[in-house]
Amino acid sequence: MNGIKKMHKDNHIVTIFGGTGDLTYRKLLPAFYNLKCTDNFPDHLHIVIIGRQPLTSESYRDLARPWLQEHSRIHVSDDHLDAFLNHVTYFEMTFTEDEGYERLFTRFQDIDANAKKLYYFAVAPSFFEIIAQKLEKHNLAKDSKIIIEKPFGNDLKSAESINHTLSNIFDEDHIYRIDHYVAKEMVQNIFTIRFANEIFKNIWNADNIANIQISANELVGVENRGNYYDHTGALKDMFQNHLLQILSIVTMDKPETMDATSIHEAQEAILDNLYIENMDQDVIFGQYTQNQESMSYRDEDKVDEHSRTETFVALKLGIRTPRWRNTPIYVRTGKRMHKRITEVVVEFKQQDHAPANVLIIKIQPEEGIYLRFNIKKPGQSHETQSVLMDFCQSCDYENRMNTPEAYERLLNAALEDDHSLFASFNQVKRSWAFVEDIIRHHQGDEPETYPAFTNGPQGSHDLLARDGFTWIEEEIRNDAYDL
Ligand code: BG6
């Protein structure tokens, strides 16, 4: 399951729609480059970049070079870069017009008539259907695989329509729906931490766990994506996909096997049983305002000056299964927060007034695990003190070098026909249905404000305080002694 495996791979032509966009330069090409450097690249793989700009393959390669240098996790040497870029060619076409697809067919014949085709849709969801239909019309879809970037639609209705069109054209086995958070090293590690440790396996339930906190806080604002973001907001951009994926991996029952179908079923069982007890109180929307180092969200480029779009959301959720009866799960994500940190905090129930045990799975930027537990304070007395075991996986150079980027893992998995890192449509559908309920209830609400580079709106802290909890932050960890 899930890791990068060195296997023989079939000949492939990977075609990237949206080949001159940020995602291709920042993530996809560096990921392919890294696969090549780590010997995970098929001998016969050809990458066709689709774009509207009038470029030659040579001029495209020149454009791509500095991006690869900046964004590859593995050192880029000129020789390696040239060897890699030899696999990349540029193809100018407008993907809404038939003419280009006819030429594309011929191009594929010239490259390798027998190669498997993998199409990467790195474009806005409104183009997914039209590209798929044109591929079919021009005989380019049969037996081909497609990777669909998130967001998979803008709401339940558009997601269903996209899925309907795609599944009329491609086999379900050939559709790969991306959520790159699933492929992050420490998200994959949750399976091992939960299921390969007796000490956690048996206490992972409402009897022992007081609450779970999932945070994905970012320092960045909306950068150059104001237009997309202002129509999307944190709930749809991060919660509907990345955070619900993490949540379902953290809380699901052990899948029967570790294949994609069993994992998806276990996750779907969680998504089916999610609820929000009090829609008014348990959902907090925030929006960042100006401070010395940042403009306010409403002043960002391509953002409506009266925008009510949330750049932060915090929610309290419950899961209607015996394992999680009455256990609150708090989830938050925000832009322009005081610190970039993605992590899962599991706070155990307090026993005999001793400080609660806490397990923290650190997803990024640091990867690792904290465990807070109690010991006797050295000395004559029998006072208890909390100590911290802190395992930093990414502090080790070798570990860092051996850890593929999420997109490396995803591209490799799609080439290998492994679906375990990708979302099923049932997951996508349930996630949208859940999020739409929240939107229906909060449509048009004025978000609470928080100054940029702070810890989110007050409402997010009150949300936990009402239940007698706090977001477990750095300061609280520091109260414990490092071991
Ligand atoms: C994307 C969101 O899916 O994930 C972005 O659209 C967000 O808004 C990004 O910044 C975060 O990804 P990562 O891997 O940098 O944490």
Side-chain angles (χ1 to χ4, degrees):
M1 170 190 84
N2 308 337
I4 294 239
K5 299 161 278 187
K6 295 192 181 184
M7 264 193 197
H8 169 74
K9 296 185 183 79
D10 298 314
N11 295 2
H12 269 94
I13 299 176
V14 177
T15 305
I16 305 180
F17 289 93
T20 51
D22 260 26
L23 182 80
T24 305
Y25 286 132
R26 277 177 207 260
K27 299 286 186 192
L28 304 183
L29 289 178
F32 275 121
Y33 174 78
N34 292 333
L35 286 175
K36 180 144 178 82
C37 295
T38 51
D39 213 11
N40 281 293
F41 197 79
D43 291 338
H44 299 284
L45 184 136
H46 200 96
I47 302 169
V48 176
I49 300 289
I50 306 275
R52 263 181 312 190
Q53 296 171 34
L55 298 170
T56 61
S57 292
E58 227 13 81
S59 56
Y60 181 80
R61 289 174 191 152
D62 288 341
L63 284 177
R65 263 169 222 278
W67 290 93
L68 280 153
Q69 255 137 1
E70 192 180 337
H71 294 280
S72 165
R73 75 180 171 88
I74 295 176
H75 172 73
V76 174
S77 73
D78 284 345
D79 287 355
H80 279 124
L81 199 54
D82 288 341
F84 168 69
L85 286 171
N86 277 337
H87 295 266
V88 179
T89 53
Y90 184 78
F91 191 81
E92 183 188 339
M93 69 178 262
T94 305
F95 51 65
T96 47
E97 289 169 14
D98 286 302
E99 170 276 333
Y101 293 86
E102 284 163 25
R103 286 187 290 115
L104 192 59
F105 184 88
T106 315
R107 169 69 77 91
F108 289 162
Q109 297 299 108
D110 294 345
I111 297 173
D112 181 350
N114 298 319
K116 284 193 174 174
K117 316 274 186 316
L118 170 63
Y119 300 105
Y120 198 116
F121 289 14
V123 295
S126 51
F127 294 116
F128 294 165
E129 290 175 84
I130 179 109
I131 298 176
Q133 284 157 343
K134 298 254 182 246
L135 288 171
E136 186 191 31
K137 179 168 170 196
H138 294 279
N139 246 330
L140 292 161
K142 194 164 181 306
D143 298 330
S144 305
K145 303 188 253 189
I146 47 169
I147 303 184
I148 307 289
E149 248 313 315
K150 73 147 272 255
F152 196 90
N154 297 313
D155 51 23
L156 181 58
K157 193 162 164 249
S158 57
E160 278 178 330
S161 161
I162 291 168
N163 204 59
H164 180 74
T165 305
L166 296 183
S167 48
N168 276 335
I169 299 174
F170 300 93
D171 290 347
E172 175 60 24
D173 271 5
H174 288 162
I175 304 177
Y176 295 83
R177 300 174 193 84
I178 286 233
D179 187 310
H180 76 283
Y181 267 54
V182 178
K184 288 188 187 272
E185 179 67 25
M186 288 307 293
V187 174
Q188 284 300 303
N189 209 338
I190 295 172
F191 290 93
T192 312
I193 294 166
R194 284 195 54 195
F195 303 126
N197 289 303
E198 287 302 308
I199 53 167
F200 296 134
K201 229 194 293 191
N202 301 319
I203 57 172
W204 212 262
N205 53 43
D207 292 339
N208 300 291
I209 291 179
N211 74 83
I212 296 176
Q213 306 174 10
I214 303 175
S215 301
N217 296 340
E218 298 186 277
L219 278 171
V220 291
V222 290
E223 298 177 295
N224 53 0
R225 301 158 77 219
N227 194 21
Y228 155 78
Y229 198 86
D230 210 32
H231 292 102
T232 309
L235 189 71
K236 287 185 175 185
D237 184 49
M238 293 288 288
F239 176 79
Q240 183 270 338
N241 35 75
H242 305 325
L243 290 169
L244 283 181
Q245 282 286 346
I246 298 180
L247 186 155
S248 54
I249 293 173
V250 169
T251 55
M252 70 188 187
D253 283 347
K254 186 171 185 209
E256 264 170 43
T257 67
M258 280 299 174
D259 68 16
T261 311
S262 306
I263 295 174
H264 289 159
E265 278 170 8
Q267 287 182 279
E268 287 158 21
I270 293 294
L271 296 172
D272 270 342
N273 285 293
L274 281 182
Y275 67 90
I276 294 181
E277 201 174 279
N278 184 332
M279 271 285 184
D280 289 329
Q281 283 188 22
D282 294 348
V283 179
I284 310 294
F285 284 140
Q287 191 187 76
Y288 63 82
T289 53
Q290 181 182 5
N291 77 357
Q292 287 104 317
E293 286 142 62
S294 164
M295 62 172 84
S296 73
Y297 173 69
R298 289 180 181 178
D299 292 332
E300 299 273 8
D301 192 25
K302 304 219 170 75
V303 167
D304 181 345
E305 56 183 330
H306 303 295
S307 173
R308 293 184 169 195
T309 300
E310 78 287 358
T311 59
F312 174 98
V313 62
L315 308 109
K316 176 185 166 186
L317 314 167
I319 303 173
R320 256 186 226 100
T321 60
R323 181 194 287 275
W324 295 116
R325 159 184 38 89
N326 298 332
T327 310
I329 301 179
Y330 306 101
V331 181
R332 67 176 163 173
T333 180
K335 301 244 179 236
R336 284 275 187 261
M337 299 289 283
H338 68 313
K339 198 166 173 197
R340 174 174 180 241
I341 196 156
T342 302
E343 63 183 15
V344 176
V345 175
V346 181
E347 183 171 5
F348 291 89
K349 289 195 167 160
Q350 269 189 308
Q351 302 294 339
D352 305 326
H353 306 293
N357 296 140
V358 174
L359 172 75
I360 301 181
I361 301 171
K362 297 180 280 181
I363 296 172
Q364 65 185 24
E366 195 179 299
E367 296 171 358
I369 295 172
Y370 276 120
L371 182 61
R372 188 174 84 177
F373 62 103
N374 302 316
I375 61 164
K376 185 183 106 43
K377 196 169 182 175
Q380 301 278 8
S381 79
H382 273 271
E383 264 180 81
T384 301
Q385 80 176 21
S386 280
V387 290
L388 209 58
M389 273 205 285
D390 180 2
F391 166 62
C392 174
Q393 174 153 289
S394 53
C395 294
D396 181 273
Y397 177 78
E398 283 284 307
N399 283 346
R400 273 204 311 280
M401 287 300 101
N402 288 331
T403 303
E405 283 275 341
Y407 276 93
E408 259 171 83
R409 224 190 276 269
L410 290 162
L411 291 170
N412 191 67
L415 290 170
E416 303 278 11
D417 304 326
D418 174 1
H419 277 265
S420 61
L421 298 174
F422 297 89
S424 66
F425 186 62
N426 276 336
Q427 284 175 302
V428 173
K429 203 162 71 177
R430 285 164 170 75
S431 306
W432 273 125
F434 186 65
V435 160
E436 282 197 351
D437 252 2
I438 303 171
I439 294 172
R440 255 193 302 278
H441 202 92
H442 286 278
Q443 195 107 46
D445 284 7
E446 182 75 40
E448 255 185 78
T449 56
Y450 60 101
F453 301 119
T454 59
N455 203 4
Q458 185 54 38
S460 129
H461 301 285
D462 298 343
L463 181 68
L464 277 75
R466 276 200 296 275
D467 299 336
F469 300 122
T470 49
W471 291 106
I472 305 237
E473 313 272 1
E474 198 80 353
E475 306 79 59
I476 293 175
R477 286 175 210 161
N478 292 344
D479 285 348
Y481 292 81
D482 278 332
L483 273 189

